[in-house]
């Protein structure tokens, strides 16, 4: 073996194993995760580029309810605040947005008004993270994806080709 060939004693063998094992496991896990994660569709990818955010920057200052994954780029590239982003200390906002997108339009309105959201922003027809089952069939996101806009939301104009779909929350 490698250890006996170079006359490495038992304590050094244990130390070597303790150092190498986590590195090997982590490398394998990262490789597996990358292989099982399909590339994002072009429309979704466009929501993370700087240029499309310029149109959002022109909207009056407000609080945006959007999928948790959009939070960091909305914060970085606009003057708006976000209700949800992938940060553990804002779990209330993450849950509020998820519930709002998954719930009936009436329940969603109540949640978004309580949170004082100004806008609902979607990345085209991209499904928000972790939305499935009944939420995909009857929740607010499903209604908006089917262009069934509740009366309490108003579509905000966006430039041709914008990946974002923006709705103003009416009080």
């Amino acid at each position: 073996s490698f250890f006996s060939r170079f006359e490495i004693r038992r304590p050094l063998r244990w130390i070597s194993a303790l150092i190498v094992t986590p590195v090997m496991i982590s490398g394998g896990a990262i490789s597996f995760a990358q292989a099982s994660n399909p590339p994002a569709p072009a429309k979704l990818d466009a929501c993370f580029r700087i240029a499309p955010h310029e149109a959002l920057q022109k909207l009056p200052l407000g609080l945006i309810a959007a999928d948790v994954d959009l939070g960091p780029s909305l914060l970085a590239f606009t003057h708006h605040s976000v209700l949800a982003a992938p940060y553990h200390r804002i779990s209330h906002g993450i849950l509020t947005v998820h519930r709002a997108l998954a719930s009936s339009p009436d329940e969603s309105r109540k949640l978004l008004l309580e949170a004082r959201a100004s806008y609902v922003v979607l990345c085209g027809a991209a499904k928000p993270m972790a939305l499935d089952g009944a939420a995909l069939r009857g929740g607010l996101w499903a209604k908006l994806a089917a262009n069934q806009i509740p009366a309490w939301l108003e579509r905000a104009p966006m430039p041709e080709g914008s990946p974002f779909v923006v709705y103003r929350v009416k009080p």
Side-chain angles (χ1 to χ4, degrees):
S1 85
F2 172 82
F3 294 111
S4 42
R5 183 174 182 176
F6 292 101
E7 297 180 16
I8 298 174
R9 304 218 180 262
R10 191 168 300 249
L12 287 177
R13 290 181 189 185
W14 284 103
I15 292 170
S16 298
L18 286 173
I19 292 171
V20 173
T21 301
V23 172
M24 298 302 287
I25 290 173
S26 296
I30 290 168
S31 297
F32 178 75
Q34 289 174 338
S36 65
N37 191 12
K43 187 84 168 178
L44 179 61
D45 188 44
C47 290
F48 298 99
R49 299 187 189 285
I50 296 172
H53 289 81
E54 292 173 9
L56 295 173
Q57 185 72 359
K58 294 176 183 175
L59 295 171
L61 183 65
L63 178 63
I64 295 176
D67 184 34
V68 65
D69 288 339
L70 295 176
S73 59
L74 291 169
L75 282 174
F77 306 135
T78 74
H79 62 279
H80 300 288
S81 298
V82 296
L83 197 51
Y87 310 120
H88 72 283
R89 291 192 175 205
I90 59 169
S91 57
H92 177 73
I94 294 169
L95 291 172
T96 299
V97 170
H98 178 78
R99 286 180 187 134
L101 293 174
S103 298
S104 70
D106 289 338
E107 181 64 21
S108 298
R109 179 177 189 266
K110 181 179 150 199
L111 290 165
L112 293 171
L113 287 176
E114 284 175 5
R116 296 191 172 135
S118 308
Y119 305 100
V120 173
V121 174
L122 304 178
C123 181
K127 175 182 86 73
M129 189 173 97
L131 213 59
D132 55 11
L136 286 176
R137 292 185 298 277
L140 177 64
W141 178 82
K143 298 294 184 195
L144 294 175
N147 204 28
Q148 297 172 5
I149 304 166
W152 54 271
L153 286 177
E154 172 185 41
R155 182 106 182 234
M158 296 302 287
E160 180 78 27
S162 173
F164 293 112
V165 181
V166 180
Y167 302 93
R168 210 173 265 117
V169 179
K170 297 178 187 176

